[in-house]
Amino acid sequence: MKNLRLLCLVVLLVALVTGCNAGLQRGMVGPVYVSTARPAISLTAKDMPLLAGGQGQCNLTWTSVMGGLPVSVWLAAYGQGTPQSPMAIVAQAELPQSWYWNSDSTPPFSVDHATEIIGETEFSASTFIVDGSRDPFMQLAGVQPETPPVRWLVRGFTARFNFNADKIILEYREPLPAQMGFLDVLTIAQTDQLKAFEERARNVFVVGQVPESLIGLKDSYLKNVSWQFMDQRFLGTVSRFDVFKGN
């Protein structure tokens, strides 16, 4: 009986989500990413030009799904498009039914964990180093395949919605400072250098309401992202709902 009630609840939630899909729109309105539901939100980076925006799909190959679990991703990247300049990324990742994001994407060996409020939305934040050797955004950063990979200092912000089926990810990146080049991971938190970097990251993103007009909304495939490298390092980890499992 307990399992039956739980199954009925899941069916009801699926029906509610399906009903909400009718008017769902996602894509780019100029330099701003917009989602009209799950959640209704707009995301952009201020004072940074748009490099590219659109959508694509990746497969989480480490899951139990044959061929990998398909994940739909909408994202926009901002910056100058050179390995020497900062870059900002906003993304929304949606899982298929019966799967959920089981974490807020806090990477191992990250520091300065905090809850940050950006535009009235609560995000889990952390600071970490990214090795760009298998980075899905290397083309957007102007890194050529034959050149050494860029290592980045990153401040990441994540929030989950829609019963953890959707995740918003914000990343602000700067090339790893030369004086930190000997580090493989961050070990010391809240240094003056990290505090200044994290303040810059906090002030880059604009999280707001959906604009009144969606004229010109574009939802094209984003070609210059290396989707084969889009995995749990950026997206985080997932689990499957097991509605028949008792306590």
Side-chain angles (χ1 to χ4, degrees):
M1 180 63 69
K2 181 179 178 181
N3 287 339
L4 180 59
R5 289 198 302 268
L6 183 56
L7 178 59
C8 291
L9 176 60
V10 171
V11 171
L12 176 61
L13 293 177
V14 169
L16 290 172
V17 169
T18 303
C20 292
N21 282 347
L24 175 62
Q25 290 182 283
R26 288 179 178 156
M28 302 298 299
V29 178
V32 181
Y33 170 71
V34 173
S35 171
T36 61
R38 306 195 328 256
I41 200 169
S42 64
L43 307 168
T44 190
K46 59 185 176 183
D47 301 326
M48 299 181 74
L50 177 69
L51 287 170
Q55 53 81 23
Q57 189 172 81
C58 59
N59 294 303
L60 298 183
T61 57
W62 55 271
T63 61
S64 59
V65 177
M66 183 176 296
L69 180 70
V71 180
S72 298
V73 182
W74 292 260
L75 65 87
Y78 305 83
Q80 300 297 329
T82 69
Q84 298 80 30
S85 59
M87 183 166 65
I89 300 162
V90 305
Q92 180 169 5
E94 181 182 64
L95 292 173
Q97 289 182 8
S98 79
W99 291 83
Y100 65 96
W101 299 107
N102 58 21
S103 74
D104 286 320
S105 302
T106 302
F109 306 109
S110 57
V111 299
D112 294 350
H113 304 148
T115 298
E116 303 269 11
I117 306 296
I118 306 177
E120 301 182 358
T121 298
E122 185 176 293
F123 292 89
S124 296
S126 60
T127 302
F128 47 95
I129 293 174
V130 164
D131 183 343
S133 57
R134 291 176 60 86
D135 185 6
F137 310 111
M138 59 185 179
Q139 296 179 60
L140 294 172
V143 180
Q144 302 302 317
E146 64 276 8
T147 59
V150 175
R151 300 178 68 216
W152 301 93
L153 181 62
V154 178
R155 182 68 168 173
F157 307 85
T158 61
R160 291 175 289 170
F161 300 89
N162 188 34
F163 306 103
N164 296 336
D166 284 80
K167 179 185 283 189
I168 298 292
I169 303 171
L170 313 177
E171 271 196 9
Y172 175 72
R173 300 177 166 202
E174 292 181 1
L176 191 68
Q179 60 269 38
M180 299 174 67
F182 68 95
L183 294 174
D184 292 323
V185 297
L186 294 177
T187 56
I188 301 176
Q190 287 291 303
T191 65
D192 289 342
Q193 187 174 28
L194 288 185
K195 287 180 182 178
F197 166 74
E198 290 160 5
E199 183 66 19
R200 291 193 296 274
R202 187 180 304 113
N203 292 328
V204 159
F205 296 103
V206 179
V207 180
Q209 304 297 318
V210 176
E212 293 183 5
S213 174
L214 297 181
I215 295 175
L217 185 143
K218 298 180 180 179
D219 188 27
S220 56
Y221 176 72
L222 191 51
K223 297 179 180 180
N224 48 350
V225 169
S226 300
W227 293 104
Q228 71 273 23
F229 297 148
M230 183 77 70
D231 56 22
Q232 66 270 22
R233 291 174 299 175
F234 177 73
L235 296 173
T237 55
V238 301
S239 294
R240 186 196 292 269
F241 284 111
D242 186 357
V243 297
F244 296 104
K245 184 177 181 180
N247 291 332

